[in-house]
Amino acid sequence: MRKEYSNGEITLVWKPDLCIHSGKCVQGLGDVFDPKRKPWIDVSQASSNEIITQVGKCPSGALSIKDDNMEAAGNEKTKVQLMPGGPLVLKGICEVIAEDGQAYEKKNVAFCRCTKSANFPYCDGSHKN
């Protein structure tokens, strides 16, 4: 599943299945990201640049900015970050090969390290329990 929110300049994409509930979005731009509101994302509450900056801090890649005019640069490095007490986060474009050999291209993905995720091998925030 994916949801898109546009302000006419940018389109913010939210993929709830990737969300690890780190809260960085809410902590950084609480007017845009308010889990008590329906819908919980309102891109009219901040500038496009503020939203782009905050979305860049999303550790799981559940939040991204859609830009149909730009192609991904193939020479960017993929970064790997271990989150304290949480997932292994790969930032950048990577190919994930499933047990059945099926390959999937992913951008910004959080892999579960605690093995408690209902969406294993991807983190769903279960490590917090």
Side-chain angles (χ1 to χ4, degrees):
M1 174 168 55
R2 99 191 233 145
K3 296 193 177 198
E4 297 185 1
Y5 306 88
S6 179
N7 65 5
E9 293 179 0
I10 61 167
T11 300
L12 188 153
V13 178
W14 177 50
K15 297 177 185 173
D17 293 342
L18 296 179
C19 187
I20 61 171
H21 307 287
S22 69
K24 294 202 180 291
C25 53
V26 176
Q27 296 162 8
L29 280 179
D31 291 339
V32 173
F33 304 99
D34 182 354
K36 296 178 185 171
R37 181 179 59 219
K38 298 282 184 197
W40 78 284
I41 297 174
D42 182 355
V43 292
S44 70
Q45 298 300 311
S47 72
S48 294
N49 286 336
E50 289 173 308
I51 294 169
I52 290 168
T53 298
Q54 194 60 44
V55 165
K57 297 176 184 176
C58 178
S60 68
L63 296 173
S64 62
I65 301 297
K66 181 176 154 184
D67 188 345
D68 297 332
N69 298 320
M70 291 182 70
E71 303 250 343
N75 60 355
E76 292 181 14
K77 292 182 181 179
T78 298
K79 296 179 182 174
V80 179
Q81 180 179 7
L82 294 172
M83 303 299 288
L88 173 75
V89 177
L90 277 77
K91 294 183 180 186
I93 298 172
C94 63
E95 183 177 45
V96 178
I97 301 170
E99 291 176 349
D100 64 2
Q102 183 73 29
Y104 302 92
E105 187 171 281
K106 297 278 189 178
K107 180 177 181 182
N108 299 341
V109 62
F111 289 105
C112 176
R113 290 193 300 160
C114 73
T115 70
K116 296 177 184 172
S117 173
N119 193 28
F120 194 82
Y122 306 105
C123 180
D124 67 0
S126 295
H127 58 274
K128 291 183 180 181
N129 295 332

